[in-house]
Amino acid sequence: MIQIENASRWFGQVIGVNDVTHTIEPGVTALLGMNGAGKSTLLRLITGQIQPTTGSIKVFGNEPFANPEVYKRMGYCPEIDQFYEHKTGRQFVNYLARLAGMSAAEAKTRTDEVLHEVGMADRADKKLAGYSKGMRQRIKLAQAILHDPDIILLDEPLNGLDPVGRREFMSYLHTLAERGKTILVSSHILFEVEQMTKSIMLLHRGRLLAAGDVSLIREYIDKYPHRVRIETPQPREVAAKLIQLPYVLKVEFDEWRGGIELQTRELNQFFAFLPTLTTEENFTITGFSSPDNNLESIFHYLIE
Amino acid sequence: MSIAPFVFTSTLQDMLRPKRFAIWVIVAIAMVVLGQVFLRFTPTSTATTAYSTLSELIVFRILALAAAIFATGVVSQEVEQKTIVYLLTRPVPRPVLILARTLAASVTVSIVGILAAVGTALGTRASFGDVFLRDCSALILGAFAYCALFVLVSLLINKSMVINLIFAFGYEAAVPKMPGDIYKVSINSYLMSIASHPKIVPVASDSAPVATPGAVNTIQPGAAWLAMIGLVVLCSMFNAQWFDRNEYVPREDGD
């Protein structure tokens, strides 16, 4: 769908995107990075608003810059919060539907449908100037999906949405992904991204630090042993047993919450062993978790 | 179906919407008042000479001013307001986008110019005869020429409105009055040739001015038409090519 090969983009002396290579397939992929990491620049490259200085970007096998054939199959929700403020939400979406090549009748029908899908059907006849941030986000999403594109690019789409709106948005995102759409969502909020997808592209200072499934990326980070937290009423006994295992590096007691936390370099081997604690050693294990097998930990490990 | 008619009509509707266009209607009404004031203070003027004087001095300046404003709205204003992103990520070929929008701006500026001319004719009680009709054709051609040129400037330079206004009021006012043939590098000189206003020659302090054909401007109306059409075509071709190949991206704070 989207092929990025050694793409770099310079703005004078400043590099926006640095030698990024990746292929984005159908499903939800999160483009993750701090402010200034190059997320919006990469999205602008993919949407053909700007051209790579070196390397190439192909969407459906075509270069996207100023290419109407690509735009027929691509929807883009920009981060900017600017609109034609004198128009109503309905007029704005309808205008962009007409620009997408729909006839007046098609545009009207599709505008009504899409406004209903994003929960704006009953508020679409007010002027955009009077919209809240959340309403504006919904209208931006509506204009991105109105021509039923195969690729949808969303730049910080959850900004300004209330919790209900966020839940609805994420649910809608998964519905789109189930329909086979390729969705690329940029965000700098890890919590949001974790709820959206496990597939990430992590950008830092223009470089692609990691890409793929969150848990697989975590496995590749050898520098930091995996942490595992075990809930048990017998922490000392369990700790004494576990510390004997060759792949367990360290065991600590969690005096605040009870239980123990250990570090291991062989997570799969450890989880294979874990059931024997209860079946053969008769210890009581009430729960376990892997506190650093999440996006936030990976993010911090990778940029350190 | 081609998207060009929709781009043209939607842009025209936007430029002619009441809130945006009301000021130009007020300007036209002001020209009615100014025409009457002019007649009051120059009682020896005929309706035609009063109309011609005000047309040269003010109506063609209004035309250039309106062109500077509406031509900036074609691309530059969209970039500054960051709404350009919605236009450039639609399946509309960029040359179609810019040419249709420039055409809409030119039509709008033509309407502004003709409205001001109508206001002036009403104020000076001039007839809507040959002089007025020649003015209308010069105003329409001028609207297209100024818009094509100002769009070109806005494609090349950020914050182009200031440059365009300086051109409209400084360059276009000063260059036609300069000695030698330098007046030929002003759009206004060609428009004056097409308009062919009667030249006003004061013969005596107590007699009425006498209208005679233009003398200083040696550009023939036919050549003026060709030059202006050539300018519009060349600028439009350049604009379409340039806009198709270059990036127009609003600055964003986040990235």
Side-chain angles (χ1 to χ4, degrees):
Chain A
M1 284 285 187
I2 303 171
Q3 291 164 301
I4 308 165
E5 279 182 34
N6 304 109
S8 296
R9 171 66 198 210
W10 290 82
F11 299 97
Q13 299 289 311
V14 179
I15 193 159
V17 166
N18 187 358
D19 198 25
V20 170
T21 297
H22 190 59
T23 300
I24 301 166
E25 300 290 352
V28 181
T29 302
L31 184 57
L32 190 64
M34 293 189 287
N35 286 337
K39 305 186 295 294
S40 292
T41 303
L42 187 59
L43 286 177
R44 282 188 203 150
L45 285 165
I46 296 170
T47 54
Q49 296 176 73
I50 57 175
Q51 300 179 79
T53 311
T54 58
S56 73
I57 294 195
K58 296 273 174 70
V59 179
F60 309 116
N62 298 309
E63 288 190 7
F65 182 78
N67 188 341
E69 292 307 312
V70 169
Y71 297 134
K72 282 179 187 167
R73 299 174 64 187
M74 178 192 281
Y76 176 50
C77 172
E79 186 187 6
I80 57 153
D81 198 31
Q82 273 74 17
F83 293 91
Y84 302 105
E85 303 284 346
H86 60 278
K87 288 185 192 285
T88 66
R90 192 181 304 280
Q91 286 169 340
F92 176 71
V93 176
N94 187 71
Y95 170 63
L96 295 178
R98 294 298 309 278
L99 283 182
M102 294 181 205
S103 68
E106 280 174 334
K108 185 182 180 308
T109 307
R110 187 62 190 141
T111 298
D112 290 344
E113 284 173 3
V114 85
L115 286 172
H116 181 75
E117 282 180 40
V118 300
M120 283 295 292
D122 56 338
R123 293 171 287 178
D125 293 313
K126 290 180 184 169
K127 289 248 192 295
L128 282 159
Y131 279 15
S132 68
K133 177 86 174 166
M135 290 161 78
R136 295 163 89 86
Q137 290 293 84
R138 287 167 191 261
I139 290 293
K140 278 198 291 184
L141 178 63
Q143 63 80 30
I145 59 174
L146 69 88
H147 54 302
D148 195 25
D150 295 319
I151 292 179
I152 303 166
L153 301 144
L154 308 162
D155 199 352
E156 305 276 0
L158 297 179
N159 282 358
L161 283 181
D162 56 37
V164 176
R166 281 166 191 247
R167 224 174 14 250
E168 286 173 359
F169 176 84
M170 286 181 196
S171 163
Y172 188 61
L173 212 60
H174 288 122
T175 308
L176 290 172
E178 282 165 14
R179 286 192 218 158
K181 309 287 184 192
T182 301
I183 302 166
L184 184 60
V185 190
S186 90
S187 179
H188 64 279
I189 300 172
L190 303 173
F191 171 72
E192 284 178 359
V193 171
E194 271 192 310
Q195 293 180 319
M196 276 187 241
T197 181
K198 289 284 177 197
S199 175
I200 64 161
M201 287 176 72
L202 182 58
L203 280 177
H204 185 60
R205 293 180 183 169
R207 292 193 77 93
L208 184 62
L209 284 189
D213 187 273
V214 170
S215 51
L216 287 176
I217 294 171
R218 177 64 188 89
E219 279 183 23
Y220 282 113
I221 306 173
D222 296 331
K223 186 179 165 188
Y224 297 93
H226 295 266
R227 286 156 55 205
V228 179
R229 192 183 147 68
I230 296 174
E231 311 289 344
T232 173
Q234 304 151 279
R236 292 189 176 281
E237 292 82 354
V238 172
K241 182 69 186 171
L242 292 178
I243 199 67
Q244 294 171 22
L245 298 172
Y247 42 82
V248 170
L249 306 173
K250 185 178 174 185
V251 180
E252 288 177 338
F253 295 102
D254 186 343
E255 293 177 5
W256 273 92
R257 292 179 292 174
I260 57 174
E261 190 170 302
L262 60 90
Q263 291 185 359
T264 175
R265 288 201 187 278
E266 302 294 340
L267 191 65
N268 291 338
Q269 222 173 327
F270 176 77
F271 279 139
F273 169 79
L274 195 58
T276 60
L277 284 177
T278 53
T279 55
E280 292 176 18
E281 307 290 338
N282 289 326
F283 291 127
T284 303
I285 306 292
T286 56
F288 65 93
S289 59
S290 189
D292 66 349
N293 199 16
N294 58 35
L295 205 46
E296 188 170 357
S297 307
I298 291 169
F299 187 75
H300 288 300
Y301 289 160
L302 285 171
I303 64 172
E304 269 176 20
Chain B
M1 190 195 81
S2 169
I3 194 72
F6 175 73
V7 176
F8 169 71
T9 51
S10 59
T11 309
L12 190 63
Q13 279 172 3
D14 181 53
M15 288 178 170
L16 291 177
R17 72 190 146 88
K19 206 169 178 180
R20 199 169 176 187
F21 198 72
I23 186 72
W24 301 106
V25 176
I26 293 169
V27 166
I29 294 166
M31 289 309 296
V32 177
V33 176
L34 196 61
Q36 290 177 347
V37 171
F38 187 85
L39 282 180
R40 177 73 58 88
F41 283 94
T42 55
T44 54
S45 290
T46 64
T48 304
T49 53
Y51 170 82
S52 297
T53 306
L54 284 180
S55 175
E56 277 190 28
L57 287 177
I58 301 177
V59 174
F60 279 85
R61 294 277 76 74
I62 290 171
L63 184 81
L65 171 67
I69 291 169
F70 285 104
T72 306
V74 171
V75 172
S76 201
Q77 200 174 308
E78 295 277 354
V79 174
E80 282 171 30
Q81 292 176 353
K82 302 184 180 180
T83 44
I84 188 86
V85 65
Y86 296 114
L87 300 178
L88 296 188
T89 54
R90 302 290 135 188
V92 182
R94 287 188 180 200
V96 169
L97 194 65
I98 193 154
L99 291 177
R101 287 175 67 83
T102 306
L103 180 63
S106 304
V107 171
T108 306
V109 175
S110 299
I111 295 170
V112 168
I114 291 171
L115 271 181
V118 168
T120 308
L122 289 174
T124 55
R125 295 182 207 120
S127 72
F128 291 93
D130 284 350
V131 175
F132 176 80
L133 291 177
R134 279 202 307 274
D135 252 14
C136 286
S137 56
L139 287 166
I140 292 169
L141 195 57
F144 278 76
Y146 280 128
C147 282
L149 183 66
F150 290 160
V151 168
L152 185 151
V153 174
S154 73
L155 291 178
L156 299 177
I157 301 169
N158 289 333
K159 312 275 183 192
S160 58
M161 175 79 94
V162 178
I163 304 289
N164 288 341
L165 287 175
I166 290 171
F167 182 87
F169 282 101
Y171 183 91
E172 284 290 271
V175 170
K177 292 172 186 159
M178 286 184 178
D181 282 346
I182 197 163
Y183 72 92
K184 288 182 180 173
V185 289
S186 155
I187 289 175
N188 191 58
S189 300
Y190 293 86
L191 300 182
M192 288 304 103
S193 168
I194 293 166
S196 297
H197 289 143
K199 183 76 179 167
I200 297 149
V201 182
V203 289
S205 59
D206 58 346
S207 61
V210 176
T212 62
V216 177
N217 189 338
T218 60
I219 302 168
Q220 294 302 306
W225 272 95
L226 278 177
M228 289 297 96
I229 290 170
L231 176 73
V232 172
V233 171
L234 284 176
C235 285
S236 299
M237 284 169 61
F238 176 85
N239 291 347
Q241 286 290 312
W242 188 269
F243 189 60
D244 194 34
R245 291 176 185 182
N246 288 279
E247 297 169 356
Y248 290 91
V249 184
R251 287 175 61 85
E252 285 182 36
D253 302 326
D255 209 41

